[in-house]
């Protein structure tokens, strides 16, 4: 697993992808930081809420190549015929993408620190919101990895990832409109409701379990998709 | 070492591999021959555990590929048709990664990789980005990758494709020397290659085994008649008559007329009779000089075509 992890992490940082995405993410955080914090609230958590939305765009780009590229380049054969098992390979890839995400999130922690020089200390609410943000990222990345397993075209993988995440993001708003059973399902998939708890300062076990199981389910589904494809076609 | 038992692979409606069985003994180099789309790669992908079989079983060193895939994968080095290389890595980084993937202990990696790179002739390219290597060198890196972890079995899917003639000879010699302590299955559609390297040949066509034997036995078994071409100067009707009068000649025909009064004949005789001497004396007696005399030995190429055309007639 760690062999795959190191390899993927290297390929992120050997190419411009990681730097561009991290730079872009930090820049956007800075842009939101100014009006929200300086002008309006003096509180960092609303910025994180907005960054959750930005993540919808960043994560699919981060994860689009992670499995699709192997299929296209024929390196999938190497991974699947090695004695390393498939779940370990997928987990290695997941953690590599997560590390990039973790780095970009860690850099944005500079903002609350700057704030703490002028305002009060870093509140537990901010820490809680960051904790929630890290969990949200795990769920997003698991879904991104999943969408990358569906196709060998990176652009399509990114679009599937983005559309899927967007639907889950909007699920709260869509659920009452759709109604019935489908509405209920959408409610389960709503990533946003649970996230709001965190940045409102509520740290419950429920959302933590929710995000972790969401992540687990999509990693499991990714393994299943690849297994299934091997059984059904070439 | 490798036992393949009633292996079938279906892709939806299409049967890529139909009920094939064969065994490969330890230390053997087996050639896998067939036209494009015959099911060579599919079979190899199944043996290595990349694709699951629809029916039948594959056992490597006694381990079933479906029941104990990791035990099998540990024992196999696979070189797919397209070298499975990551273009954004250097040769060294890539081989290190594969070593990790195959659980080669860290302290042994360096010496093992040094040996393998030397063997495959890529030591000088170790720090180059794989993307910048030529096709031939990518192929070598692909071969090097399959040797990592010193697997007992090597599965090589068209290992010499895309190489220049000198490299082909190098790689062939390399495979031959590897054959001393590895069991190798090698696929190819280059027939002389198989003839040169392999101890046994499996000819596969349309997903079925068409023939399986040593290259020598294959040419004996199918060579039912000895064939000659002879270019003789002299009037055609008389020469033809003389040829047909020779004991053992089954059939003769005119192939071409290269000169004004010279004719090239194809002569087929019974398998065990050498008609070259009687032919010479008959012509000498009649005063018609033999300009050229050639025996048409059946090459693996002919056998291959014959086996495959026979198949075609059956269907």
């Amino acid at each position: 697993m760690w062999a795959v992890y190191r390899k993927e992490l290297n390929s992120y940082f050997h190419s411009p992808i990681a730097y561009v995405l991290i730079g872009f993410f930090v820049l956007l955080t800075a842009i939101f930081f100014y009006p929200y914090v300086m002008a309006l609230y003096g509180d960092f958590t609303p910025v994180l809420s907005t960054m959750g939305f930005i993540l919808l765009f960043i994560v699919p780009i981060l994860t689009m190549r992670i499995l699709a590229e192997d299929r296209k380049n024929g390196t999938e054969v190497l991974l699947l015929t090695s004695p390393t098992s498939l779940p370990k390979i997928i987990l290695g890839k997941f953690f590599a993408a997560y590390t990039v995400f973790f780095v970009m999130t860690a850099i944005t922690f500079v903002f609350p620190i700057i704030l703490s020089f002028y305002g009060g200390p870093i509140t537990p609410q901010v820490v809680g919101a960051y904790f929630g943000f890290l969990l949200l990222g795990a769920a997003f990345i698991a879904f991104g990895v999943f969408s990358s397993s569906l196709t060998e075209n990176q652009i399509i993988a990114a679009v599937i990832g983005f559309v899927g995440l967007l639907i889950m993001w909007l699920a709260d708003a869509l659920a009452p409109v759709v109604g019935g059973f489908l509405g209920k399902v959408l409610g389960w998939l709503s990533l946003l409701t649970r996230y709001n708890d965190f940045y409102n300062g509520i740290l419950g076990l429920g959302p933590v379990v929710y995000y972790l199981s969401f992540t687990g389910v999509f990693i499991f589904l990714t393994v299943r998709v690849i297994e299934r494809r091997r059984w059904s076609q070439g | 070492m490798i036992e393949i038992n009633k292996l079938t692979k279906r892709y939806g409606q299409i049967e890529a591999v139909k009920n094939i069985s064969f065994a490969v003994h330890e230390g053997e180099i087996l050639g896998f021959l067939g036209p494009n789309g015959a099911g060579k790669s599919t079979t190899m992908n199944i043996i290595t555990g990349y694709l699951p079989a629809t029916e039948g079983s594959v056992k490597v060193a006694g381990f079933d590929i479906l029941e104990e895939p990791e035990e099998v994968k540990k024992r196999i080095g696979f070189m797919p048709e397209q070298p499975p290389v990551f273009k954004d890595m250097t040769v060294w980084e890539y081989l290190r990664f594969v070593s990790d993937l195959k659980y080669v202990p860290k302290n042994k990696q360096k010496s093992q990789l040094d040996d393998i790179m030397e063997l495959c002739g890529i030591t000088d390219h170790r720090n180059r980005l794989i993307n910048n290597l030529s096709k031939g060198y990518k192929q070598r890196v692909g071969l090097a990758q399959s040797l990592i972890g010193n697997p007992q079995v090597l599965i090589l899917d068209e290992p010499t494709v895309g190489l220049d003639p000198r490299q082909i000879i190098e790689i062939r010699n390399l495979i031959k020397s590897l054959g001393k302590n590895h069991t190798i299955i090698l696929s190819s559609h280059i027939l002389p290659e198989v003839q040169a390297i392999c101890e046994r040949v499996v000819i596969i066509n349309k997903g079925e085994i068409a023939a399986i034997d040593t290259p020598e036995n294959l040419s004996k078994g199918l060579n039912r008649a000895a064939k000659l071409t002879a270019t003789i100067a002299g009037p055609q009707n008389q020469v033809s008559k003389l040829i047909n009068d020779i004991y053992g000649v089954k059939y003769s025909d005119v192939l071409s007329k290269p000169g004004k009064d010279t004719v090239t004949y194809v002569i087929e005789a019974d398998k065990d009779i050498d008609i070259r001497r009687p032919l010479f004396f008959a012509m000498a007696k009649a005063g018609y000089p033999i300009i050229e005399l050639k025996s048409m030995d059946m090459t693996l190429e002919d056998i291959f075509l014959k086996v495959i055309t026979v198949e075609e007639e059956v269907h």
Side-chain angles (χ1 to χ4, degrees), chain B residues 57-72:
Chain B
S57 68
V58 174
K59 275 189 182 165
V60 176
F63 296 102
D64 190 286
I65 184 70
L66 283 181
E67 280 158 22
E68 290 163 289
E70 283 172 30
E71 290 298 321
V72 173

Side-chain angles (χ1 to χ4, degrees), chain A residues 3-4 6-7 11 14 70 72-85 88 230-234, chain B residues 9 11 48-53 70 73 78 80 82 84-86 88-89 93-94 97 100-101 103 106 145:
Chain A
V4 177
R6 275 194 303 276
K7 187 250 143 202
S11 85
H14 278 174
D70 279 337
K72 190 153 196 162
N73 289 344
T75 42
E76 193 188 37
V77 186
L78 175 74
L79 298 176
L80 293 183
T81 57
S82 77
T84 306
S85 72
K88 282 186 187 164
R230 289 167 63 205
W231 280 96
S232 59
Q233 34 160 324
Chain B
K9 176 70 183 175
Y11 296 127
T48 55
Y50 179 51
L51 292 177
E70 283 172 30
K73 287 172 184 178
F78 181 34
Q82 192 188 358
V85 291
F86 296 100
D88 58 348
M89 295 173 111
E93 281 171 347
Y94 171 71
F97 167 65
D100 284 341
L101 210 58
Y103 301 122
K106 287 260 183 247
Q145 162 274 126

Side-chain angles (χ1 to χ4, degrees), chain A residues 190-207:
Chain A
S190 170
L191 289 165
L192 192 60
T193 346
R194 280 89 179 176
Y195 181 49
N196 287 342
D197 280 359
F198 285 108
Y199 86 90
N200 287 330
I202 308 161
L203 186 64
L205 188 61

